[in-house]
Amino acid sequence: MNAVLSPGDVENVTHPRGVERIVAGTPTSDGAGVKLTRVLTQPLQRRLDPFLMLDAFGSDNPGDYIGGFPDHPHRGFETVTYMIAGRMRHRDSAGNEGLLSNGGVQWMTAGRGVIHSELPEQEEGRMEGFQLWLNLPAKEKMCAPWYRDIQNETIPEITVDGVTARIIAGRSHGVDGAMAPGQREGTQPLYLDLHFDAPGASFAQALAAGHNAFVYVYRGALAIGATEVASQRMAILANDAGSDGVVLRAVGDAPARALLIAGKPLAEPIAQYGPFVMNTNDEIFKAVEDFRAGKFGG
Ligand code: CO
């Protein structure tokens, strides 16, 4: 869905943020042996509040993904799954079912609890994508589960100076994303998938000064100020006082692609035990107890 830009819809960035730190991520496996890279790991949850996790997966080898993610629970946060290539079938205990495929997004609010599965619907070919965990404010952690499939064709796109931005959440250049600003008041997520198709192309995005932000480069390389960010690296953007956004520039001749993700920190305690993310240990014990007692879902 390509949006038409008005002349006034520019992102004014005069004091861009720099890079605080480059992170390589940790190769691991999850579900039934799915190989992935955990880019945003638990030690970074406080620094990148309200984001709890980012996993990147990508393989042409069915052995790396064929087991998928059989039935497992979640409580207390949202999962945002973005498929670049491949097909995954989702089913959950609230009776929702959907097919996640090339370029589509699944936004799931676990709230007080869901049990779901995510299983590949292909036996060969490429499977590539990302799963982001977005925290819920304390007062919404026990909300009713919610779920939305966002088809590829319905994600708003803009093209500015050789860069195409797919606006999954938030707003860019005056265009609202599939998850519009205001739909998540507590965390105000911005989620852009940026495609730099021209050598040297650059893209500016305004960011609220207090919001935490990071960039994950998944093709080619980008420069942020004087720092070069290689493929499969995350750049944590500095929360420089007086900064008003970020400017990303493609480096070299190869096309570059990156996720730009930002959000408003919740500044609340984080207690995590596997797929349960609450505010206190007591709430975690309760989550485990409720799950064992079969109180999740439905
Ligand atoms: Co899950």
Side-chain angles (χ1 to χ4, degrees), residues 21-28 30 36-57 130-135 191 212-216 232-236 259 261-263 270 272:
R21 192 179 150 192
I22 304 277
V23 175
T26 309
T28 181
D30 209 339
L36 50 83
T37 301
R38 188 141 297 162
V39 178
L40 196 173
T41 54
Q42 218 167 339
L44 292 171
Q45 287 176 340
R46 180 54 55 196
R47 173 62 188 86
L48 292 175
D49 178 14
F51 302 103
L52 299 164
M53 194 186 87
L54 176 70
D55 280 347
F57 49 94
F130 307 95
Q131 187 170 80
L132 177 72
W133 287 13
L134 170 61
N135 209 353
Y191 190 154
N212 290 326
F214 62 94
V215 172
Y216 180 69
Q232 297 176 340
R233 292 292 181 273
M234 169 171 73
I236 297 178
L259 308 179
I261 294 173
I270 301 168
Q272 176 175 8

Side-chain angles (χ1 to χ4, degrees), residues 72-74 79 108 116 118 131 133:
H72 60 278
H74 292 289
T79 64
M108 186 192 77
H116 75 163
E118 297 145 304
Q131 187 170 80
W133 287 13

Side-chain angles (χ1 to χ4, degrees), residues 72-92:
H72 60 278
H74 292 289
R75 174 182 277 185
F77 60 100
E78 306 191 85
T79 64
V80 183
T81 311
Y82 180 31
M83 292 294 285
I84 304 281
R87 296 188 312 280
M88 269 285 210
R89 173 72 57 181
H90 165 265
R91 283 190 182 88
D92 72 30

